[in-house]
Amino acid sequence: MARPTLAVVGATGSVGTVMLDLLSSRRDVWGEIRLIASARSAGKSLTCRGESLPVRPLTAEAFDGVDVAMFDVPDDVAAHWAPIAVSRGAVVVDNSTVFRMEPDVPLVVPEVNREAIAYRPRGIVSSANCTVAAMIMAVAPLHFEYGLRELVLASYQAASGVGQIGVDTLHDQLTKVAGDRLLGSRPGNVRQAVGDDLGPFPAPLALNVVPWAGQLAPLGWSSEELKLRDESRKILGLAVLKVSSTCVRVPVVTGHSVAVHAVFASEVTADGAREALRNAPGVILVDDPEAGEFPMPVDAVGTDPSWVGRIRRAMDDPRALDFFVTGDNMRKGAALNTVQCAELLAAELGR
């Protein structure tokens, strides 16, 4: 049987580039791979699986003969083009926010709820938010063991979460503040050094943390905070899970982190949690404070697993755990999860 044809839509973007790296390094399940991007990127060539492949413009005809299409494009582009790809015969795996909370679109993290991918009446599968994906990898095995009841979350989100402009802005600001050791010790001097070059952030990110990520949502919440609640509920199948979150942007290039306080239905122990996480797929346990070994984005960047550590039973509640999770938001948080979902579809098509 011929292997399925894959389209990568948004192939020239920062996540699309990681997708091509993953397609080149993982087990090869694909026949033809087509690269698709906006008209201004069409005509370029990119390397995938050792081949130089042309980038096609985004048109309806580009999806003819495509079995699976991975989308990493802005929300408005996904909303318009994903249904068109489906109408031409493709199953779409979409990394935007557009379809995630639609009841007839599965929201899939393969290590957690791979069975959900079978129900896709619209021909679309959604890939989880980058912060949720890293965090849920650690939360899910503990939920399966102890029965999750509540999450209190604080995220530490990298500049790359808003794309290359976030990374460029952070590096530009770091250049401006480098060498002046008085910066950060007097009111206003960091803002003065950085100037008006805030990029996509509401305040300087260099020498600072910004307690905001996303767009303004009702009652003072941000869109990123709502995603942590809504997507966690959907992925875990817990419609009324209590979730409270504060999303913070930090001066890290790549790697989102989350401090998790999780309350369960039954009593938990730190050792029991470590055992559950040690055996969980896609998780690496890094938990030796005496040796200074913690899960940190500088170590997790460029790797596939969620790194988990600082595991403690809550001081005042034997049913609660506190721990820290970090993961590469460009890989498991975006490209890898999308590729994994596409591979599930390839296996299904091959049966």
Side-chain angles (χ1 to χ4, degrees):
M1 182 176 174
R3 292 194 294 180
T5 295
L6 175 71
V8 181
V9 185
T12 57
S14 54
V15 172
T17 302
V18 180
M19 287 178 178
L20 300 190
D21 289 343
L22 289 166
L23 291 170
S24 300
S25 61
R26 293 173 66 81
R27 188 170 69 88
D28 189 7
V29 301
W30 303 106
E32 179 191 355
I33 294 180
R34 293 185 196 171
L35 309 186
I36 300 173
S38 63
R40 69 176 178 275
S41 297
K44 292 181 179 178
S45 292
L46 298 173
T47 300
C48 183
R49 300 188 298 186
E51 299 176 69
S52 180
L53 300 177
V55 177
R56 307 180 183 209
L58 179 55
T59 64
E61 292 73 26
F63 295 104
D64 290 344
V66 169
D67 297 296
V68 179
M70 301 192 303
F71 273 63
D72 190 85
V73 293
D75 286 1
D76 58 334
V77 179
H80 179 76
W81 284 100
I84 293 173
V86 172
S87 74
R88 309 297 278 216
V91 179
V92 169
V93 184
D94 180 49
N95 197 37
S96 80
T97 66
V98 173
F99 304 104
R100 286 180 188 151
M101 298 313 300
E102 295 292 315
D104 51 0
V105 175
L107 178 63
V108 179
V109 176
E111 295 89 345
V112 179
N113 66 335
R114 68 171 50 210
E115 69 287 345
I117 206 167
Y119 174 76
R120 45 175 195 278
R122 291 170 65 178
I124 299 171
V125 175
S126 270
S127 186
N129 166 266
C130 48
T131 316
V132 174
M135 182 267 297
I136 212 79
M137 294 290 291
V139 168
L142 297 172
H143 164 58
F144 299 148
E145 189 75 22
Y146 300 109
L148 185 65
R149 292 292 180 267
E150 184 175 350
L151 288 172
V152 181
L153 309 170
S155 75
Y156 304 77
Q157 294 178 221
S160 58
V162 294
Q164 189 60 41
I165 187 174
V167 177
D168 292 341
T169 298
L170 174 59
H171 278 301
D172 290 345
Q173 291 182 2
L174 290 171
T175 299
K176 289 180 178 179
V177 302
D180 187 344
R181 297 197 174 197
L182 290 177
L183 290 179
S185 62
R186 294 175 183 166
N189 65 358
V190 171
R191 287 185 180 274
Q192 187 174 7
V194 168
D196 296 329
D197 180 24
L198 299 180
F201 310 117
L205 192 58
L207 303 182
N208 196 25
V209 297
V210 181
W212 186 259
Q215 288 76 49
L216 183 63
L219 302 176
W221 297 96
S222 79
S223 58
E224 289 287 308
E225 290 159 351
L226 296 187
K227 289 174 193 175
L228 279 168
R229 182 189 68 161
D230 297 343
E231 294 187 30
S232 295
R233 287 176 165 184
K234 186 171 180 178
I235 294 164
L236 295 173
L238 298 173
V240 294
L241 177 68
K242 292 181 180 180
V243 182
S244 187
S245 57
T246 301
C247 287
V248 182
R249 194 72 68 181
V250 294
V252 168
V253 172
T254 297
H256 289 349
S257 307
V258 186
V260 180
H261 177 81
V263 183
F264 298 94
S266 56
E267 188 168 325
V268 294
T269 65
D271 285 342
R274 288 187 191 97
E275 192 61 25
L277 291 166
R278 192 176 285 117
N279 296 318
V283 171
I284 183 168
L285 193 63
V286 185
D287 193 20
D288 190 352
E290 286 186 12
E293 293 181 359
F294 313 106
M296 295 181 288
V298 291
D299 300 316
V301 64
T303 72
D304 291 342
S306 287
W307 295 44
V308 189
R310 292 299 325 279
I311 298 167
R312 298 144 284 154
R313 187 162 84 166
M315 286 186 278
D316 302 313
D317 186 348
R319 300 171 301 117
L321 281 174
D322 291 276
F323 55 93
F324 195 80
V325 189
T326 192
D328 186 322
N329 53 294
M330 305 296 286
R331 292 179 77 89
K332 184 57 184 173
L336 175 61
N337 200 73
T338 307
V339 167
Q340 288 175 306
C341 289
E343 289 170 351
L344 289 180
L345 294 169
E348 180 186 309
L349 292 168
R351 283 202 290 270

